[in-house]
Amino acid sequence: MEPGAGSFSEEQFREACAELQGPALSGAAWELLVETRGFSVYRLLDQQTGLYAYKVFGVLEDCLPDLLADVYMDLAYRKQWDQYVKELYEKECNGETVVYWQVKYPFPMSNRDYVYVRQRRELNFEGRKVHVILAQSTSKPQFPEKSGVIRVKQYKQSLAIQSDGERGSKVFMYYFDNPGGQIPSWVVNWAAKNGVPNFLKDMVKACQNYRRT
């Protein structure tokens, strides 16, 4: 799919479901990066950028799939629990819902912002109910670049969620972005290695608090 096409293919949704059932790590140089907090994080080097794509597999305990998907989609709530959000909202552009997201970066680095489309679907995959959320960067004239903020033009994420059979969620996530600018690739990769597990931990806390709202 080309960025800005406004929709994702059926195949892309089903691929995410399939990864949740059995990780597709063969046939490419995926390497295990870290195992932490019940999650395994794999990475694959992108030769063009020197950055890595990531696949994450694991279980979030005490966080039901429907709730987890709702929390992930709720942009207003994310501004409350995600300390790195500077600005985050949705806007209709020619019948298409587009997300604007600005992320706080530590001084002296410039903040980054994202413009992307996303879709959520519930699928019946091999008799299991799976929530799938896909996101990909796009370009829209309604979201011009801002002075002092670097636009992230390569961003892609897939999230698949199903019940672990108890009170938790089995999760698969694919993630890649290129933050641009003059940040050394090793710094970006180090941040992703630590940031992905921390984000999932924060998601669990957000789910617990969401129940009481």
Side-chain angles (χ1 to χ4, degrees):
M1 188 197 77
E2 290 298 320
S7 62
F8 298 86
S9 69
E10 178 74 16
E11 182 182 1
Q12 286 174 295
F13 282 98
R14 299 193 72 80
E15 281 177 357
C17 291
E19 287 256 36
L20 184 62
Q21 313 309 322
L25 300 169
S26 60
W30 288 96
E31 60 176 312
L32 179 63
L33 178 62
V34 63
E35 290 183 305
T36 180
R37 302 185 184 125
F39 274 82
S40 298
V41 181
Y42 294 83
R43 69 180 184 179
L44 177 67
L45 181 65
D46 180 81
Q47 298 290 347
Q48 283 190 315
T49 62
L51 301 172
Y52 288 91
Y54 295 88
K55 288 183 178 181
V56 184
F57 304 90
V59 172
L60 292 176
E61 296 180 354
D62 196 28
C63 190
L64 294 171
D66 290 23
L67 177 63
L68 182 59
D70 286 347
V71 167
Y72 186 84
M73 292 293 291
D74 192 332
L75 300 183
Y77 182 51
R78 182 162 177 175
K79 288 188 283 188
Q80 298 177 34
W81 63 265
D82 188 342
Q83 62 179 320
Y84 298 105
V85 170
K86 172 71 173 178
E87 201 173 350
L88 182 60
Y89 62 88
E90 290 179 325
K91 185 176 182 178
E92 290 295 319
C93 299
N94 302 321
E96 182 177 53
T97 301
V98 181
V99 178
Y100 175 82
W101 175 32
Q102 185 179 152
V103 181
K104 298 175 187 175
Y105 268 59
F107 181 83
M109 291 185 287
S110 300
N111 286 356
R112 265 61 177 175
D113 67 1
Y114 300 71
V115 177
Y116 63 93
V117 291
R118 67 173 182 171
Q119 277 187 273
R120 172 184 176 179
R121 284 185 56 189
E122 292 180 15
L123 290 86
N124 185 317
F125 189 82
E126 298 179 352
R128 302 178 179 91
K129 178 182 175 182
V130 183
H131 298 268
V132 179
I133 302 166
L134 304 180
Q136 183 166 311
S137 54
T138 188
S139 177
K140 297 289 182 182
Q142 294 92 332
F143 298 90
E145 295 187 27
K146 299 182 178 182
S147 176
V149 179
I150 295 177
R151 176 65 47 88
V152 175
K153 298 177 181 178
Q154 292 176 279
Y155 166 68
K156 187 175 182 181
Q157 186 168 19
S158 305
L159 180 67
I161 309 164
Q162 74 178 44
S163 172
D164 69 344
E166 299 180 3
R167 295 281 302 170
S169 295
K170 182 180 177 183
V171 174
F172 158 70
M173 184 170 71
Y174 170 91
Y175 185 88
F176 177 80
D177 79 6
N178 180 358
Q182 300 302 312
I183 308 175
S185 59
W186 72 266
V187 174
V188 177
N189 292 324
W190 176 88
K193 174 182 176 180
N194 292 276
V196 170
N198 287 339
F199 173 76
L200 293 168
K201 181 182 177 183
D202 290 343
M203 279 281 290
V204 173
K205 291 181 181 177
C207 286
Q208 293 167 351
N209 293 329
Y210 202 66
R211 295 194 187 106
R212 295 194 290 270
T213 60

